[in-house]
Amino acid sequence: MSERSNIIDLLWHNSLVGKFVTLAMVVAFLIMGTNAFINYQSQKDTSLANIISQSEMLGSFIVSITPEAILSYDYDALDNYMEEINKGEDIVYAIILTPEGRPLTSYVDRRNSFIVEKMRNTKKLKLEKLIDDLNKNKFIIQQSFPIFFQNNLLGDFKVGISKSRIEKDLKNKLINQIIVSLILTVLLGIGIFIVFRLYTMKPILQLIQGAQRIAGGTLDKKVKIKSNDELGRLGEVFNQMMDKLRTSIEDKDEALVTVKELNLYLEERVIDRTKELKGVNEQLEKLAMNDSLTGLPNRFCIQNRLNNLFIEAKRDNSVFTVVMMDLDRFKDINDTLGHDCGDQLLIEVGLRLKDILRPSDFLGRLGGDEFAILLTETDENNAKTVAQKIQSALEPSFYLSEMAFSIAASIGIATYPQHGSTTSTILKSADVAMYYAKQNKLEYCIYNPGADRNTPDRLSLMGELRQAIHEDQLELFYQPEVDLSSRRIIGVEALVRWNHPERGFIPPDDFIPMAEQSGLIRPLTYWVLNSAIRQREKWHDMGIDILISINISMHNLNDTEFAPQLEMLLQNTDVPVEYFEFEVTESSIMDNPDHVVEVMDKLNTLNVSFAVDDFGTGYSSLSLLKKLPVHKLKIDKSFIMEMETDSDDEAIVHSVIDMAHILGLNVIAEGVENEKVIQLLTSLGCDLVQGYHISRPLPAKLITPMLEHGSWDADNGHSGAVHNLR
Ligand code: C2E
Ligand code: CA
Ligand code: CA
């Protein structure tokens, strides 16, 4: 039942065809109906005119023939005439009256229903009254014709004609026509419905079904409309649209697959990269653990061991001692006999030390000609014996280049817990003791806190440094940093110099650590920053736009005043902060990595950028480097200067460059002293270089021409322009 009403709904109420057929039928019916009605009206008029003209003919006929009968009072003849009139179908009555109104003869149609009715109701019907009533009837037309004879009025002929028969006929005709119209309208409706269904609705329904299929996701079944009208074209366009849609969906699917594949590929690459990074890290750590020259544990390894010793000693309440040793006049041997001999000597020393030590003692090379020995459960007295054993082991001559050499060593001793409770402090204590032994030409020296900080010499030098900062004895030298691919100078490193009025030139390595310990590093750094900014302004005015790298000590980063001072200085200059870069050494970062990350992040809000200085000596981890807001690694000069001859160093430099690039960092190599190293670094993909081969650090005045030139060209030999300047 509901299905049927659905079909009716579809075919009629909810369909175009229903609406169209209804409209067409109404219009057709209205046209035909109106036509029939107009016909009816005009026929009625014509019939009426006919009746009137018939009666007029009758009237004129009667008027022409009756005078004679009236004049001769021939009533029979007059009655005969009336008899004749009786034959006229629509004549209801006829009467001839004298001029006085007396009837001479009359005729009344007794079949007429009105008259039949009157006669039935009235017993004695008066003729005048009957005619009077008849005339009031709207279906009867009365006409009157005067009868003359030679201009004398003889009487009046009146005739009443009924319209009702004609009207009845015409009405019947009208009804017939309306019925025919209705039938025609229905037939027309059916015709239109069939044609519409066949030629219009069928294609439209096909299109609807096609669209429903598309909505359901079927895009390969075309609609088939066999017609060449607009609907046929609509079908073609519909099919084309579906094709386009299908291809674009296919394209999209394909693109999605590609994106998925790319994602997978990327994920794989990320995994590979992570593996690579891990590998590089492991390789670096391995390289970092052992000193390639002597095969002894290196500084990193020594520090590790020390860290463990602290844990064990603190746990077991035990003591241990650090013995630090360096060779006297090693630099001379290196300089006169060459690096190979120096290297050979270091290997020999390592072997002799190993010989005299117990297996539980830990021997390592700190770097250069410095060795460290960690003696577990050994106090300073026992350590003294070890120091003496070392001195006697070094007594026999060394044979280098077929020459005999005797070599002495300076030994410093520091013991836990008296001389330090952290790795760096105990190493520093042993270092100070060693320095003291060297200065005083002692066989060995045990750390004495009093001898460290407050030597009269130190105290006076510190006072002088304070003065020097205020009296402008300091000067900034600048050393260019060159882009390897373009050979353009992209920046300079600012390096401080102290021109002491009596002692002469004091290298920064001799007063910076002191300034750090005494707190003078704050005014010193402020002076350096201020001078660098002023110099940068001068260069800017000359059209030289380069980066200035400034060395920042860990003490500065720990100083809460540092950031506000820096901010103030930067506010008072037009030079954008992007033109300054801060170098922080890797080892100072490693002293307290978490803290450094925090401080660097804070300073990063001032938009200053950081570089890790002396990279390779501090044994930082990849994970830490990733956390730091640095964008540059400066490989320590000790690797660069040796890489030409030392394949281990070259391997380290190679790994560092690769790793830095993986981390998205720029790499600069410092300590570049010849063209061969430049070639090597270029082949390893290093970004920037700095070193004596390009230029020694120079005062602003002397470096300016080179900066104006803008690029470094080896042949022109800007390198070593002023050889005597440090
Ligand atoms: P650094 O930051 O590693 O500076 C590079 C040092 O390497 C400089 O020594 C430079 O003269 C030297 N150098 C450059 N090229 C070569 C080369 O080809 N071969 C060799 N053998 N050496 C080269 P410098 O100027 O004596 O500075 C020593 C250290 O003093 C610096 O090491 C830095 O740590 C510190 N320093 C210098 N100026 C400042 C400063 O303004 N503030 C602070 N906090 N530290 C400073
Ligand atoms: Ca530096
Ligand atoms: Ca450096």
Side-chain angles (χ1 to χ4, degrees), residues 418-430:
Q418 300 96 304
H419 303 144
S421 54
T422 66
T423 305
S424 61
T425 53
I426 204 157
L427 280 175
K428 210 171 259 169
S429 299

Side-chain angles (χ1 to χ4, degrees), residues 216-269:
T218 311
L219 288 165
D220 48 4
K221 206 167 164 200
K222 295 197 174 181
V223 292
K224 286 182 196 124
I225 297 173
K226 290 185 207 112
S227 115
N228 45 9
D229 56 11
E230 287 87 346
L231 283 171
R233 284 203 294 284
L234 179 62
E236 280 166 25
V237 175
F238 185 92
N239 286 335
Q240 286 168 5
M241 202 177 72
M242 190 166 65
D243 282 346
K244 277 244 166 77
L245 192 66
R246 193 184 53 235
T247 42
S248 73
I249 286 176
E250 281 166 4
D251 287 353
K252 195 189 83 191
D253 288 349
E254 242 171 62
L256 272 177
V257 170
T258 319
V259 166
K260 257 191 193 157
E261 281 170 0
L262 265 176
N263 259 342
L264 274 177
Y265 173 74
L266 267 180
E267 271 170 24
E268 277 168 19
R269 292 289 298 146

Side-chain angles (χ1 to χ4, degrees), residues 371-384:
F371 293 85
I373 301 137
L374 311 181
L375 307 166
T376 41
E377 290 174 13
T378 308
D379 59 14
E380 45 184 72
N381 280 329
N382 293 335
K384 277 184 207 168

Side-chain angles (χ1 to χ4, degrees), residues 104-145:
L104 290 176
T105 181
S106 67
Y107 157 76
V108 174
D109 182 3
R110 286 168 197 279
R111 293 158 303 184
N112 184 288
S113 57
F114 183 78
I115 295 171
V116 172
E117 183 91 344
K118 279 274 174 195
M119 289 202 333
R120 196 185 300 146
N121 294 343
T122 323
K123 274 183 197 147
K124 201 164 177 268
L125 187 67
K126 259 189 101 185
L127 186 63
E128 289 87 344
K129 176 82 172 70
L130 177 69
I131 289 173
D132 233 24
D133 284 349
L134 283 171
N135 282 343
K136 281 180 195 150
N137 191 314
K138 62 183 170 127
F139 290 106
I140 294 171
I141 306 164
Q142 190 204 48
Q143 279 189 310
S144 165
F145 306 93

Side-chain angles (χ1 to χ4, degrees), residues 461-501:
L461 201 63
M462 263 193 290
E464 284 165 296
L465 179 60
R466 195 186 308 275
Q467 232 178 330
I469 296 169
H470 293 116
E471 290 179 3
D472 260 3
Q473 287 172 25
L474 300 182
E475 190 181 357
L476 273 190
F477 275 32
Y478 298 93
Q479 189 178 28
E481 299 181 349
V482 169
D483 180 86
L484 263 184
S485 56
S486 64
R487 300 241 160 171
R488 291 200 67 77
I489 301 169
I490 58 103
V492 289
E493 178 176 6
L495 294 158
V496 71
R497 298 288 179 264
W498 183 4
N499 203 355
H500 194 283

Side-chain angles (χ1 to χ4, degrees), residues 76-93:
D76 286 340
L78 288 176
D79 286 343
N80 277 342
Y81 295 151
M82 288 304 116
E83 247 349 275
E84 281 307 307
I85 285 171
N86 184 23
K87 288 174 188 162
E89 236 183 312
D90 300 316
I91 294 170
V92 183
Y93 71 90

Side-chain angles (χ1 to χ4, degrees), residues 330-343:
F330 176 73
K331 198 172 177 303
D332 294 342
I333 294 174
N334 234 356
D335 288 351
T336 48
L337 298 181
H339 284 292
D340 286 349
C341 278
D343 289 352

